[in-house]
């Protein structure tokens, strides 16, 4: 719509807006410029026509196409970020579980069954003192032993399992008696423990047998689950199948020289 033009008989020097109030200025924003209105001596306003091309129209606003492009650009940055973050999280969680498979001796995490836990506790009857679970996993053996009055400790390489075990111990109310640490079993001395529990694999048992025979005291007991030690003679056996548990008293495998054969020397 065009603005009406009211002009006085006298010649108006400029087509600028003028106000009906004498000696009063009106600021007009036109094409990002501010101009002061001129006031005539008679006080008659002169309203000039605003050019159509100078007005702000809807075409001067951002178009839907630009907004759509901006949204696409944001999604283009967001999606790779989400995918990258997910891959990092999966890598951080999965690596501790996959790393044991790359070691020379693989000791995978396999949760103990309820029967295995029960059989271990049978072997601990009438015993006291400290207990260590080598490769404690999710902490089931340690927590069960702590409930029976043992000062139980678990060593585990997987930090996620260690943190979960600590949470379970806190939830079960035995966090003061059950402790868990991230550590390699070959770098830990077991001389301070009177009860040792191990869920091992055949490849590691000979080397662990040597380590425990050198470090344990005469009153210690070693409890092996799933697989027995290759050279020691067990003092007690309970369970059957995969739930079989073997108990070895230190005074037996330390005192019986035949339980651990001497190396063969070849003469040429």
């Amino acid at each position: 719509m065009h603005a009406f033009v009211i002009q006085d008989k006298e010649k108006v020097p400029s087509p600028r807006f003028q106000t009906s109030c004498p000696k009063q200025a009106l600021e007009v924003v036109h094409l990002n410029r501010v101009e002061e209105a001129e006031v005539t001596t008679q006080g008659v306003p002169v309203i000039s026509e605003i050019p159509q091309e100078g007005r702000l129209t809807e075409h001067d606003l951002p178009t839907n196409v630009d907004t759509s492009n901006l949204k696409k650009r944001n999604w283009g940055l967001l999606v790779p970020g989400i995918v990258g973050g997910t891959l990092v999280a999966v890598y951080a969680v999965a690596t501790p579980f996959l790393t044991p498979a790359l070691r020379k001796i693989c000791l995978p995490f396999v949760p103990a069954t309820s029967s295995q836990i029960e059989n271990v506790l049978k072997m601990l009857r009438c015993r006291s003192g400290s207990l260590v679970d080598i490769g404690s996993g999710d902490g089931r053996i340690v927590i069960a032993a702590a409930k029976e009055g043992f000062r139980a400790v678990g060593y585990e390489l997987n930090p996620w399992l260690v943190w979960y075990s600590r949470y379970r111990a806190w939830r079960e109310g035995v966090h003061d008696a059950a402790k868990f640490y991230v550590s390699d079993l070959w770098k830990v001395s077991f001389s301070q423990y009177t009860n040792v529990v191990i869920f091992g694999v055949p490849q590691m048992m000979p080397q662990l047998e040597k380590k425990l025979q050198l470090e344990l005291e005469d009153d210690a007991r070693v409890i092996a689950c799933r697989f027995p030690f290759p050279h020691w003679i067990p003092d007690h056996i309970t369970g059957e199948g995969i739930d079989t548990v073997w108990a070895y008293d230190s005074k037996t495998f330390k005192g019986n020289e035949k339980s651990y054969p001497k190396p063969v020397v070849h003469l040429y």
Side-chain angles (χ1 to χ4, degrees):
M1 180 181 293
H2 296 283
F4 291 99
V5 179
I6 304 175
Q7 295 184 348
D8 191 29
K9 295 180 180 181
E10 297 182 0
K11 184 179 180 180
V12 180
S14 174
R16 301 176 180 177
F17 283 140
Q18 295 187 359
T19 180
S20 60
C21 300
K23 299 180 182 180
Q24 181 176 354
L26 176 65
E27 294 183 356
V28 180
V29 180
H30 177 61
L31 298 178
N32 297 328
R33 297 169 55 189
V34 180
E35 298 182 353
E36 296 181 354
E38 295 181 357
V39 181
T40 61
T41 57
Q42 295 82 3
V44 180
V46 177
I47 305 176
S48 60
E49 182 177 354
I50 301 176
Q52 182 70 23
E53 62 275 9
R55 295 182 180 180
L56 186 64
T57 64
E58 61 181 1
H59 299 290
D60 297 316
L61 298 175
T63 62
N64 293 333
V65 177
D66 295 336
T67 304
S68 177
N69 291 337
L70 181 60
K71 291 181 179 179
K72 290 180 179 179
R73 189 180 301 111
N74 291 338
W75 276 107
L77 297 175
L78 182 61
V79 172
I82 294 176
V83 174
T86 303
L87 292 176
V88 171
V90 171
Y91 174 81
V93 174
T95 298
F97 290 93
L98 299 177
T99 300
L102 304 177
R103 297 172 64 88
K104 184 177 180 179
I105 298 178
C106 176
L107 185 60
F109 166 60
V110 180
T113 65
S114 57
S115 297
Q116 290 171 344
I117 297 175
E118 182 180 354
N119 291 335
V120 170
L121 295 179
K122 286 181 181 179
M123 295 298 187
L124 293 174
R125 289 176 182 173
C126 301
R127 294 189 61 83
S128 59
S130 58
L131 177 142
V132 60
D133 185 7
I134 302 175
S136 55
D138 59 0
R140 301 184 184 190
I141 295 294
V142 174
I143 292 174
K147 290 182 178 180
E148 297 295 325
F150 290 90
R151 301 188 310 275
V153 175
Y155 291 101
E156 172 62 46
L157 271 178
N158 190 329
W160 296 107
L161 292 176
V162 171
W163 295 333
Y164 177 68
S165 299
R166 292 171 179 171
Y167 165 73
R168 288 192 61 185
W170 171 81
R171 189 180 62 181
E172 297 291 336
V174 293
H175 57 281
D176 291 334
K179 303 297 181 181
F180 299 91
Y181 302 98
V182 180
S183 184
D184 189 339
L185 68 92
W186 305 111
K187 300 178 181 179
V188 177
S189 174
F190 302 109
S191 58
Q192 58 181 317
Y193 301 104
T194 55
N195 301 279
V196 179
V197 180
I198 174 65
F199 282 76
V201 292
Q203 295 82 357
M204 67 178 295
M205 301 306 274
Q207 186 175 353
L208 183 60
E209 192 177 63
K210 296 178 182 179
K211 178 178 174 62
L212 295 177
Q213 184 162 354
L214 292 174
E215 295 179 355
L216 295 181
E217 300 293 335
D218 292 338
D219 61 342
R221 170 172 287 186
V222 181
I223 301 173
C225 306
R226 296 197 181 107
F227 298 99
F229 285 97
H231 304 117
W232 292 349
I233 299 175
D235 294 276
H236 307 279
I237 302 176
T238 186
E240 57 184 13
I242 195 174
D243 296 326
T244 304
V245 172
W246 298 263
Y248 305 87
D249 291 334
S250 179
K251 60 183 180 180
T252 300
F253 60 74
K254 279 180 173 290
N256 189 357
E257 296 181 356
K258 295 181 180 180
S259 65
Y260 195 83
K262 296 180 179 180
V264 177
V265 178
H266 297 276
L267 300 178
Y268 297 95

